[in-house]
Amino acid sequence: MRLKTFRASTMTEALQEIKKEFGPEAVILSTLEGKNEVSVTAALEHKDDLNFNEVAVNEPLSFLNDFCRILEHHRVPTVIQERLVWSLSSSQEDTSDKNFEGMLKTIFRFKPIINSQGKFLPPARLALLGPSGAGKSVTIAKLASEYVMAGFEPFVITLDCLKAGAITQLEVYMKAIGLPLHPVENIKEFKKILNESPINTYILVDTPGINPFRRDEVQFLEEVVDCLNGEAVLTFPAGLDSWEISDYLGLYKGLGVKRVILTRADTTHRYGALVTALYEGQFSLAQVSAGPELGSRLDAGDSKLLAELLRKFQDSKAIPHFALEEMVKELRG
C-alpha cells in the first residue's frame, strides 16, 4: 500500500494531485482543512496488500479515516503514518472491538516511573537527558517532590553548572521542597559525590543540554550514564519538530535511553514528535509534565493519557470534513 498526504490550497487541487499520482483507484483516508491549506491523506491499495475489511468489518474506512486524521493533525511524518496503518491493518489481533485507547496500547509502550496509583518503580538512579530548554530541571524538581511526598529523601545532583542561572533555578525548587542540591562540574566530582551519596536512596541527576553534533559533549553524557550505573531517560518538550527528534533518536538510543518524559504538554496542540519517539525510537512513555509549577504533578504515561493528548484538540466531528463517497466519486471521474 502507498500512503501519502497531499497538501494544496483547495480541495479540488488536492483531488487533482491525487488523481494524477495515484489514479482512479486511490482511497481517501482523511481530510483536514487548515487556515490556508487543505490536507488529504490518500492510499493506493495493491492487491494482496491491505485489506480494509480485516480492520473494521462493519465500517471499513471509518477507523483508518479517524486514525489518519489524528496522525495528520499532529504532523506525524508520512513514512511513520504509513507504517502505523500497515501495522494495524496487518495485525493478527481482532481490532474491530477495540477503542482508540486500546489501539494505542497495542502499538506503543508505556512504563511510568511513578504509576497512576502513586507507586514508584525501579530503578532508583535516574539521569534526565535532553536538548537545552527541555525542562529537565523542572522535571527533576517534580520527581523529587513526588518522592518527598511519598516519604522518601532523594539525593539530587546537577551537572548543569555552565548555563547562567541553572543552578539557582534548581536550588530555588529544592529549597521549596526542603532538600539540598549537589552541584558538580565534571566527571571526577560526579564520581566522588556518587560515592558519598547515601545507600539505598533515590538519586536524581540533572544533566546539561548538549549539542548533539559535538562529539565532546556527547562523550560527556556517555561518561555520566556510565558512572551513574542507573537509567538515562530522554526528556523533551512537546511541540518539537517530528523530524528534529527523529534525527536524534539514534544518539539517545546509543546512550541507553529506553524511556521518555514529555514536558510542556500544555503548551502545544501537536504531539507528532512524541509519536515519532515512541514508534520510531521504540521508547516507552514514562511521564508527562504540564506546567512549570511544582504543584502541577507528573502524569503516568499510559494509553489512556496518550489517547487524551492525541484527541484533546482533535474532535473529528468538530472539524469540517468532506463526504468520502462524494470525494471518491469525483476522484474517479
Side-chain angles (χ1 to χ4, degrees), residues 57-184:
V57 175
N58 297 324
E59 202 172 359
L61 290 178
S62 63
F63 166 71
L64 284 178
N65 189 322
D66 287 345
F67 192 61
C68 289
R69 188 194 301 273
I70 289 171
L71 295 178
E72 175 62 20
H73 170 81
H74 290 285
R75 298 294 188 263
V76 176
T78 303
V79 64
I80 296 180
Q81 291 186 35
E82 182 171 349
R83 291 174 188 165
L84 284 168
V85 172
W86 170 255
S87 176
L88 285 176
S89 62
S90 60
S91 173
Q92 298 301 312
E93 293 186 44
D94 180 9
T95 58
S96 59
D97 63 345
K98 282 189 170 65
N99 56 22
F100 184 60
E101 179 186 330
M103 291 295 178
L104 296 179
K105 197 172 184 178
T106 65
I107 300 171
F108 301 109
R109 301 174 182 176
F110 306 92
K111 189 178 181 183
I113 297 168
I114 307 167
N115 69 17
S116 55
Q117 288 76 47
K119 182 180 179 182
F120 294 78
L121 304 177
R125 292 185 170 198
L126 297 174
L128 300 194
L129 317 182
S132 296
K136 297 185 292 297
S137 298
V138 174
T139 305
I140 285 283
K142 287 187 176 185
L143 281 171
S145 178
E146 295 284 353
Y147 283 121
V148 169
M149 286 190 288
F152 300 105
E153 189 172 332
F155 194 80
V156 182
I157 302 170
T158 180
L159 286 150
D160 194 5
C161 297
L162 296 179
K163 188 172 69 179
I167 293 180
T168 303
Q169 179 197 31
L170 192 51
E171 277 182 335
V172 170
Y173 283 128
M174 291 300 102
K175 187 175 181 180
I177 301 170
L179 292 175
L181 177 64
H182 303 277
V184 295

Side-chain angles (χ1 to χ4, degrees), residues 147-327:
Y147 283 121
V148 169
M149 286 190 288
F152 300 105
E153 189 172 332
F155 194 80
V156 182
I157 302 170
T158 180
L159 286 150
D160 194 5
C161 297
L162 296 179
K163 188 172 69 179
I167 293 180
T168 303
Q169 179 197 31
L170 192 51
E171 277 182 335
V172 170
Y173 283 128
M174 291 300 102
K175 187 175 181 180
I177 301 170
L179 292 175
L181 177 64
H182 303 277
V184 295
E185 295 186 354
N186 52 54
I187 294 298
K188 184 178 179 180
E189 291 183 8
F190 185 50
K191 289 180 180 177
K192 184 173 184 292
I193 198 73
L194 285 175
N195 290 332
E196 294 173 354
S197 64
I199 299 174
N200 296 326
T201 300
Y202 289 99
I203 295 178
L204 301 173
V205 181
D206 187 22
T207 68
I210 65 161
N211 181 343
F213 303 110
R214 287 191 53 171
R215 180 58 198 162
D216 59 332
E217 295 187 10
V218 173
Q219 187 173 6
F220 174 74
L221 279 189
E222 289 174 344
E223 293 180 29
V224 169
V225 173
D226 185 55
C227 291
L228 181 64
N229 193 25
E231 180 184 358
V233 180
L234 173 60
T235 307
F236 65 90
L240 202 65
D241 180 77
S242 301
W243 288 106
E244 192 74 19
I245 194 71
S246 181
D247 289 342
Y248 302 147
L249 289 177
L251 162 67
Y252 291 111
K253 291 181 77 171
L255 292 170
V257 169
K258 295 181 179 177
R259 295 196 277 188
V260 300
I261 295 176
L262 182 76
T263 62
R264 301 182 182 177
D266 57 327
T267 63
T268 182
H269 292 184
R270 302 187 193 280
Y271 303 103
L274 176 62
V275 174
T276 300
L278 297 182
Y279 185 75
E280 191 174 15
Q282 293 293 292
F283 295 144
S284 299
L285 179 59
Q287 310 288 148
V288 173
S289 174
E293 308 85 6
L294 284 180
S296 55
R297 303 178 68 174
L298 296 167
D299 292 316
D302 55 28
S303 57
K304 180 181 179 182
L305 178 62
L306 183 59
E308 289 175 354
L309 287 176
L310 295 180
R311 283 199 179 281
K312 189 172 182 180
F313 304 102
Q314 178 67 19
D315 184 351
S316 59
K317 294 181 180 177
I319 295 176
H321 60 281
F322 307 86
L324 289 179
E325 291 184 3
E326 292 300 320
M327 292 182 64

